[in-house]
Amino acid sequence: MAQEANPFESLQEQIDDAAAYLDVRDDVIERLKNPERVLETNLSVEMDDGSIELFRAYRSQFNGDRGPYKGGIRYHPGVTRDEVKALSGWMVYKCAVVDIPYGGGKGGIVIDPKEYSEGELERVSRSFAKELRPFIGVDRDIPAPDVNTGQREMNWIKDTYETLENTTAPGVITGKALPNGGSEGRVEATGRSTMLTAREAFKYLDRDIEGATVAVQGYGNAGWIAAKLIEDLGANVVAVSDSSGGIYNPEGLDTRAVKDFKNETGSVSGYEDTESLTNEELLTLDVDLLVPAALENAIDGDLARDVRADIIVEAANGPLTPRADDVLTERGVHVFPDILANAGGVTVSYFEWVQNRQRFYWTEERVNDELERVIVDAFDTLVDAYESHGAPNFRTAAYVVAIQRVVNAYTSSGNWP
Ligand code: NAD
């Protein structure tokens, strides 16, 4: 994976690019480029053999002008303070672009979860929840899943918080399992917004998604669901990958069968009737649609010159470096940005929080209908901004919409000395 860019610097550059199209004071923009606060802590956790291991952990609360901080918690050995800051900033603009009443936050623990038992992971999660307790809350900061975390970790964190607070507060965290106050449709939400963005993008560009060829990098929650739902639109998913590498069949893959194979064997590699590919080869395949759904910085400026897809819909956060963005804009490749395309996760997290607060739960059909309305409205607003501001690409247009909304909330609150 390319390591050209520090993700926090990428975020700041994206904000500067969009600010050039807005009439906003420099001090306000500067404020929007930096987190309000970052918690950095060490978790001392007992391992199964009785030893104690220390894990570095972070929570960045980037901006709360439009509502409580909101964003996932990532477990990954590559987590850094700057990565968490960047991810928390992207959450601010993601919530703003789809117009849900949240600010942005993000958390992470430096850990490779594959190396630990379930009991150890539970103790790590509960230890982090204890450190987070003074910072989070239903109206303050609401974590969610991200890379290598899911319903299990959310349930542990909720349970720890509720035990320490001596209350019931399902809305303190989202992405929970259904019996713990989760929402129908949450697991599929990120991939669903990626599919909806791809569908609207093809429509806008006057292209047919039926029969279009598609490559998907990353076959986790975001990538596999996006692949499945895009296949359901009649597209031909010809290549997918995970950290073990990629597989390719020009005739198309059965995305559900590939997922079953990955569940059985731990990776997509070796699936029947496929050629193996490196991730770099997958990213430069000659396809109509490329969906990066792994981690940041998957495509840098050099690789962008070799990308042959016509359309990119970003399921991952920050998969293109700013240099890659410049190259792809210059080459006329249409990039539909992460802050719209993967916003389904946080949008259905918002629906989950609303349901938790009302103690009234929706059907999956209602969740999916409401999500579709939010994503299609946001897509239309983005396209209007793209056409009316003369922005060079859809990412800058998305930031123009999002920054203006945050600025409106900030400036209309008046000045507090
Ligand atoms: P996940 O852990 O479920 O899946 C990540 C996938 O990426 C795995 O298949 C992994 O093998 C693969 N991967 C890791 N390194 C790779 C590499 N170098 N090359 C190819 N594949 C690689 O995580 P996820 O929840 O699907 O998240 C993926 C991306 O989507 C992240 O950027 C995350 O921030 C973003 N995202 C997720 C959600 C959500 O609700 N899950 C919401 C918004 C954004």
Side-chain angles (χ1 to χ4, degrees):
M1 193 169 291
Q3 283 303 334
E4 181 190 333
N6 171 322
F8 184 54
E9 289 168 8
S10 299
L11 166 78
Q12 294 195 316
E13 199 169 327
Q14 289 160 351
I15 296 170
D16 281 333
D17 286 348
Y21 295 87
L22 290 165
D23 183 18
V24 180
R25 284 197 333 254
D26 289 351
D27 64 295
V28 175
I29 292 296
E30 201 49 37
R31 188 177 169 275
L32 297 182
K33 284 166 62 180
N34 291 286
E36 289 174 11
R37 65 189 69 81
V38 182
L39 166 73
E40 181 170 347
T41 183
N42 291 300
L43 313 174
S44 300
V45 181
E46 188 175 348
M47 299 290 100
D48 291 344
D49 66 3
S51 64
I52 302 288
E53 206 167 314
L54 217 60
F55 300 90
R56 178 66 52 89
Y58 306 94
R59 180 81 186 165
S60 168
Q61 297 181 330
F62 199 93
N63 181 285
D65 292 333
R66 298 183 64 260
Y69 310 101
K70 183 86 189 85
I73 295 176
R74 173 175 294 198
Y75 289 5
H76 194 275
V79 164
T80 64
R81 188 183 171 98
D82 271 0
E83 182 191 52
V84 172
K85 280 161 60 176
L87 289 162
S88 67
W90 283 321
M91 287 306 300
V92 176
Y93 301 108
K94 186 180 303 184
C95 294
V97 93
V98 289
D99 209 7
I100 57 175
Y102 284 142
K106 203 82 174 194
I109 305 181
V110 185
I111 183 172
D112 182 353
K114 287 194 214 86
E115 305 286 315
Y116 296 89
S117 70
E118 184 166 12
E120 288 168 340
L121 290 173
E122 178 170 353
R123 292 195 290 282
V124 169
S125 303
R126 288 190 186 277
S127 172
F128 193 30
K130 185 167 101 7
E131 295 302 323
L132 286 175
R133 190 190 55 84
F135 293 82
I136 62 176
V138 176
D139 289 311
R140 198 174 297 141
D141 182 353
I142 307 142
D146 192 69
V147 174
N148 291 326
T149 59
Q151 293 181 341
R152 184 182 66 171
E153 288 75 16
M154 302 305 106
N155 294 347
W156 289 332
I157 294 171
K158 165 183 171 282
D159 182 65
T160 310
Y161 179 86
E162 290 182 333
T163 304
L164 293 173
E165 291 283 323
N166 188 26
T167 189
T168 55
V172 73
I173 198 161
T174 59
K176 304 173 294 288
L178 285 178
N180 304 69
S183 175
E184 296 286 356
R186 175 63 183 84
V187 171
E188 296 217 333
T190 302
R192 185 169 291 278
S193 64
T194 305
M195 174 275 287
L196 291 167
T197 303
R199 188 191 75 188
E200 295 305 300
F202 273 70
K203 217 187 289 173
Y204 174 69
L205 297 169
D206 219 5
R207 298 195 36 167
D208 210 347
I209 200 158
E210 219 179 308
T213 51
V214 185
V216 180
Q217 184 208 25
Y219 216 56
N221 175 270
W224 118 257
I225 303 285
K228 173 183 84 164
L229 296 177
I230 291 171
E231 186 189 15
D232 290 348
L233 293 177
N236 204 10
V237 179
V238 293
V240 303
S241 69
D242 58 21
S243 48
S244 73
I247 55 171
Y248 174 58
N249 181 340
E251 302 303 315
L253 301 165
D254 177 340
T255 55
R256 289 169 175 82
V258 173
K259 175 63 175 163
D260 290 343
F261 181 81
K262 182 172 163 71
N263 287 347
E264 277 162 32
T265 64
S267 73
V268 298
S269 298
Y271 178 71
E272 62 187 19
D273 298 330
T274 56
E275 245 173 74
S276 53
L277 289 176
T278 63
N279 265 290
E280 206 164 293
E281 286 167 338
L282 178 139
L283 294 167
T284 53
L285 273 180
D286 188 7
V287 286
D288 299 308
L289 170 64
L290 174 64
V291 179
L295 294 173
E296 305 86 84
N297 293 347
I299 303 180
D300 64 11
D302 290 336
L303 197 62
R305 277 179 249 286
D306 298 328
V307 165
R308 285 182 289 164
D310 304 325
I311 301 171
I312 297 179
V313 173
E314 297 179 329
N317 284 309
L320 310 191
T321 66
R323 292 292 78 73
D325 250 346
D326 294 344
V327 171
L328 293 166
T329 300
E330 202 183 291
R331 294 188 47 222
V333 178
H334 303 285
V335 177
F336 291 87
D338 46 6
I339 60 171
L340 170 71
N342 69 28
V346 72
T347 303
V348 175
S349 273
Y350 166 57
F351 298 158
E352 179 177 333
W353 178 77
V354 167
Q355 293 170 72
N356 291 153
R357 304 191 70 129
Q358 298 187 338
R359 303 292 206 260
F360 177 77
Y361 288 85
W362 303 357
T363 61
E364 185 172 359
E365 193 186 7
R366 176 167 178 196
V367 170
N368 290 345
D369 286 351
E370 297 271 0
L371 174 62
E372 180 162 356
R373 183 185 53 75
V374 168
I375 299 297
V376 172
D377 281 358
F379 186 95
D380 292 345
T381 307
L382 185 157
V383 161
D384 283 350
Y386 173 71
E387 290 175 353
S388 63
H389 284 85
N393 54 41
F394 296 108
R395 187 186 318 281
T396 301
Y399 276 91
V400 166
V401 171
I403 291 172
Q404 189 64 64
R405 285 184 175 151
V406 180
V407 168
N408 291 349
Y410 175 62
T411 53
S412 58
S413 298
N415 286 320
W416 186 262

